[in-house]
């Protein structure tokens, strides 16, 4: 068996037991990646030289009897909105040009500090704005299960690369569903932590009160391992909580769910879901019930009806502010201009893609004089109501099960002409970001067309351990995620 | 209330985005669709809700007021589109229209 098939946990074990070297693992993974990249377009920049250098360092440490860390020798990929010192970081936009950050994002330092080899930067929707990874200046990302379909977004490249076996672990960022939804579309696990659990230092900001970095993996064990590495508190991010983090791998040992209550949302009953997604949710509930959980109905009326509206006021508003810095002055692309104002207008016209412009305009509109109260302030109030609805629900239940997306992966190009239809893909994921809660998308089998199905577990703040417990129990029935061997057309 | 192309132009000016005629029409259309979703929020009873209350119990983290050298100014300037000495360089501020 080729080494790229191994999980991160088995790679670490094998490397530490000297069954194979970190360099051999890296070579296997890179070889796998290059064999499929023409089809998937999941990676914007490979940094192979640095990766090989780091793999050699890990092998030397092992030879010297030292412990390189929890992810010793594991090749990983990170979404191209996370700064990597000296390595081009683009956010899949033209506006950053060939810009190389002068520092690493905290999560990159944490991965490297535990011996992981960062092998490259993955493709995404530009500035994390999208649900398909089609809005990329580097071309769309393709689903490893069906090359004609999207990976989901915005962390499509990170999801596809794990699903295809490029690496066992990758990082994405989730603002409205951008880790969970592509995890669902690509048939792997993806976890969005509680807002504030993972440092955002070095994560190029989209919406600062919603963004959170999370891991993708093919097993719950690797998710837990990834969480142990990236959730270290960071003084450089003032929104990063200083609370103590548990050992997330402890949650893998849960034997059953006796005494646990799992919520189903009353308002979803009328929502038109793809029938295979509906079955996956029902199957998930049956498994949880079989393990001792009690299924309880909860109600989230405002969340379901107004979550999308509130999100598409708040996220673009924050984005319009965060993307004001891209003006051709300090980094990246700069349009030749005669005066400063022209510099701003031209650079931003030529540098930003259509969806980014759409969101900046929407955000500017809802914040502008005369509209701020009606839209932005109102949406902030609705956010409070949504948070309260979830809190009330979590007084009755320990977690909530819902679909990750209304349907499996759609075809490339299918929703490009209808942005609002695209936004609707995130209707089950957005509210979780608004309330700052953790959410996990699990691999829940395949549709009748052979497309992956994702189901989402949502928990109260700081209860990732509960989600990991339930995820690992579900994994016993659904099985770990398989590596996509080739994109047969469906 | 339908959003006009003029309204989109005004917003584009605020956002320092140069939008051409074709894009203007498409953006106006998009605004009008998304505003339907925004309007759903208007029917809710939001009386007495403080929009900026937080559940955060940790408070804002503070650090010692000590100067720390970043040490990477040269690298940052090297990556700039146009730099001179310790400065980012930009075109003249006043254009023909100003």
């Amino acid at each position: 068996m080729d080494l790229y098939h191994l999980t991160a946990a088995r790679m670490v074990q094998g490397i530490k037991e000297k069954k194979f070297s970190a360099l051999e693992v890296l070579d296997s993974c890179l070889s796998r990646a290059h064999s499929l990249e023409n089809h998937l377009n999941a990676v914007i920049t490979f940094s192979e030289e640095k990766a090989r250098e780091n793999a050699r360092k890990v092998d030397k440490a092992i030879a010297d009897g030292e412990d390189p860390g929890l992810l010793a020798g594991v090749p990983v990929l990170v979404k191209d909105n996370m700064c990597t010192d000296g390595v081009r970081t683009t956010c899949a936009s033209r506006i950053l040009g060939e810009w190389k950050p002068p520092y690493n994002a905290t999560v990159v330092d944490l991965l490297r500090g535990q011996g992981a080899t960062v092998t490259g930067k993955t493709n995404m929707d530009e500035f994390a704005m999208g649900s398909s990874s089609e809005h990329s200046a580097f071309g769309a990302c393709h689903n490893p299960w069906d090359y004609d379909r999207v990976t989901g977004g915005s962390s499509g490249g990170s999801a596809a690369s794990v699903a295809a076996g490029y690496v066992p672990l990758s990082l994405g960022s989730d603002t409205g569903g951008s880790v969970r939804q592509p995890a669902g579309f690509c048939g792997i696990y993806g976890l969005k932590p509680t807002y504030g659990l993972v440092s955002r230092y070095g994560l190029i900001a989209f919406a600062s009160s919603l963004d959170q970095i999370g891991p993708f993996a093919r097993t719950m064990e690797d998710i837990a391992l990834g969480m142990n590495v990236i959730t270290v508190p960071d003084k450089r991010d003032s929104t990063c909580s200083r609370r103590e983090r548990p050992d997330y791998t402890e949650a893998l040992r849960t034997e059953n769910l006796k005494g646990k209550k799992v919520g189903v949302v009353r308002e979803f009953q009328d929502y038109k879901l793809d029938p295979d997604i509906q079955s996956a949710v029902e199957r998930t509930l049956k498994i949880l019930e079989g393990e001792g959980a009690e299924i309880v109905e909860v109600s989230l009326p405002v969340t379901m009806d107004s979550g999308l509206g509130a999100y598409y006021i708040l996220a673009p508003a924050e984005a319009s502010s965060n993307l004001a810095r891209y003006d051709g002055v300090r980094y990246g692309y700069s349009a030749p201009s005669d005066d400063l104002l022209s510099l701003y207008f031209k650079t931003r016209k030529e540098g930003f893609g259509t969806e980014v412009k759409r969101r900046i305009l929407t955000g500017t509109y809802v914040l502008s004089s005369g509209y701020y109260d009606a839209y932005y302030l109102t949406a902030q109030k609705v956010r409070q109501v949504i948070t309260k609805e979830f809190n009330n629900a979590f007084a009755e239940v320990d977690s909530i099960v819902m679909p990750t997306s209304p349907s499996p992966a759609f075809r490339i190009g299918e929703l490009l002409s209808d942005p609002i239809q695209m936004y609707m893909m995130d209707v089950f994921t957005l509210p979780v970001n608004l309330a700052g809660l953790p959410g996990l998308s699990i691999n829940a089998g395949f549709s009748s067309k052979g497309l992956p199905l994702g189901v989402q577990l949502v928990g109260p703040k700081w209860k990732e351990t509960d989600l990991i417990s339930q995820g690992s129990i579900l994994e016993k029935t659904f099985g770990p995620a398989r590596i996509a061997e080739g994109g047969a057309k469906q | 209330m339908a959003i006009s192309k003029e309204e989109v132009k005004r917003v584009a000016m605020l956002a320092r985005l140069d939008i051409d005629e074709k894009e203007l029409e498409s953006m106006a259309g998009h605004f009008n669709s998304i505003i339907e979703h925004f309007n759903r929020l208007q029917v809710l009873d939001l009386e007495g809700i403080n929009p900026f209350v937080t559940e955060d119990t940790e408070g804002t983290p503070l650090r010692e007021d000590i100067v720390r050298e970043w040490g990477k100014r040269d690298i940052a300037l090297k990556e700039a589109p146009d730099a001179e000495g310790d400065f980012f360089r930009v075109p003249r501020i006043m254009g023909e229209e100003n």
Side-chain angles (χ1 to χ4, degrees), chain A residues 24-68:
Chain A
E24 282 172 315
V25 171
L26 179 64
D27 281 338
S28 175
C29 287
L30 285 172
S31 177
R32 173 66 177 173
H34 290 307
S35 75
L36 286 177
E37 251 307 89
N38 275 351
H39 298 292
L40 302 188
N41 196 30
V43 176
I44 292 176
T45 304
F46 278 100
S47 50
E48 292 190 41
E49 238 178 78
K50 277 195 180 197
R52 286 215 160 82
E53 199 183 297
N54 288 326
R56 279 188 206 103
K57 280 192 183 137
V58 168
D59 286 331
K60 183 167 188 309
I62 304 261
D64 292 345
E66 289 156 17
D67 182 359

Side-chain angles (χ1 to χ4, degrees), chain A residues 361, chain B residues 4-14 17 19 21 24:
Chain A
L361 287 175
Chain B
S4 64
K5 282 190 338 197
E6 278 59 46
E7 187 70 358
V8 179
K9 261 195 202 144
R10 177 190 76 87
V11 173
M13 172 63 86
L14 288 173
L17 277 175
I19 306 278
E21 262 316 295
L24 265 181

Side-chain angles (χ1 to χ4, degrees), chain A residues 99-115:
Chain A
W99 178 72
K100 298 184 186 67
Y103 63 100
N104 279 331
T106 294
V107 289
V108 171
D109 278 339
L110 289 171
L111 288 170
R112 296 187 63 212
Q114 292 291 348

Side-chain angles (χ1 to χ4, degrees), chain A residues 214-431:
Chain A
F216 288 103
R218 296 188 299 273
T219 62
M220 285 306 305
E221 183 182 21
D222 282 357
I223 290 279
L225 191 56
M227 287 292 282
N228 277 356
V229 172
I230 67 172
T231 59
V232 176
D234 182 15
K235 290 198 173 119
R236 294 178 298 182
D237 173 5
S238 63
T239 63
C240 187
S241 169
R242 285 146 282 150
R243 68 194 292 127
E244 205 175 312
R245 274 67 161 159
D247 175 355
Y248 293 103
T249 58
E250 289 287 323
L252 300 166
R253 292 188 241 294
T254 306
E255 305 225 316
N256 58 56
L257 298 171
K258 289 202 180 81
K260 292 290 182 186
K261 295 197 170 118
V262 171
V264 286
V265 181
R266 177 179 310 144
E267 288 75 19
F268 290 164
Q269 314 307 336
D270 302 322
Y271 202 95
K272 192 163 165 284
L273 290 174
D274 174 280
D276 288 318
I277 296 272
Q278 180 70 43
S279 307
V281 173
E282 283 163 11
R283 199 169 161 216
T284 301
L285 290 167
K286 273 211 163 54
I287 295 168
L288 294 172
E289 217 174 9
E291 292 293 333
E294 186 190 337
I295 311 298
V296 173
E297 197 178 68
V298 295
S299 183
L300 304 174
V302 173
T303 301
M304 281 323 297
D305 195 60
S306 305
L308 197 108
Y311 177 87
Y312 277 103
I313 289 172
L314 296 173
E318 294 189 25
S320 73
S321 177
N322 279 326
L323 270 64
R325 68 193 65 181
Y326 303 108
D327 55 14
V329 176
R330 282 153 296 178
Y331 16 63
Y333 176 67
S334 185
S337 312
D338 291 332
D339 62 78
L340 189 61
L341 211 54
S342 302
L343 174 69
Y344 295 162
F345 277 103
K346 272 198 199 166
T347 299
R348 290 160 70 81
K349 175 190 169 72
E350 291 164 22
F352 284 141
T354 310
E355 183 59 29
V356 168
K357 284 178 187 164
R358 231 178 246 136
R359 300 217 191 177
I360 291 174
L361 287 175
T362 309
T364 308
Y365 176 72
V366 302
L367 286 172
S368 65
S369 169
Y371 298 105
Y372 176 92
D373 284 359
Y375 293 127
Y376 183 79
L377 215 53
T378 302
Q380 284 286 38
K381 290 180 185 177
V382 172
R383 188 176 183 172
Q384 295 289 342
V385 174
I386 289 173
T387 303
K388 193 145 185 255
E389 276 191 352
F390 271 110
N391 287 347
N392 290 344
F394 286 127
E396 307 295 317
V397 297
D398 300 292
S399 68
I400 296 173
V401 167
M402 46 177 142
T404 302
S405 315
S407 72
F410 45 91
R411 291 185 193 283
I412 289 179
E414 193 177 327
L415 297 182
L416 276 180
S417 59
D418 194 345
I420 307 228
Q421 268 287 89
M422 183 84 84
Y423 295 170
M424 300 288 293
M425 278 293 131
D426 292 336
V427 68
F428 300 118
T429 50
L430 311 167

Side-chain angles (χ1 to χ4, degrees), chain A residues 157-170 188 216-218 482-483:
Chain A
S158 286
S161 56
V162 165
Y166 289 18
V167 290
L169 183 71
S170 69
I188 58 175
F216 288 103
R218 296 188 299 273
R482 290 172 11 217
I483 291 183

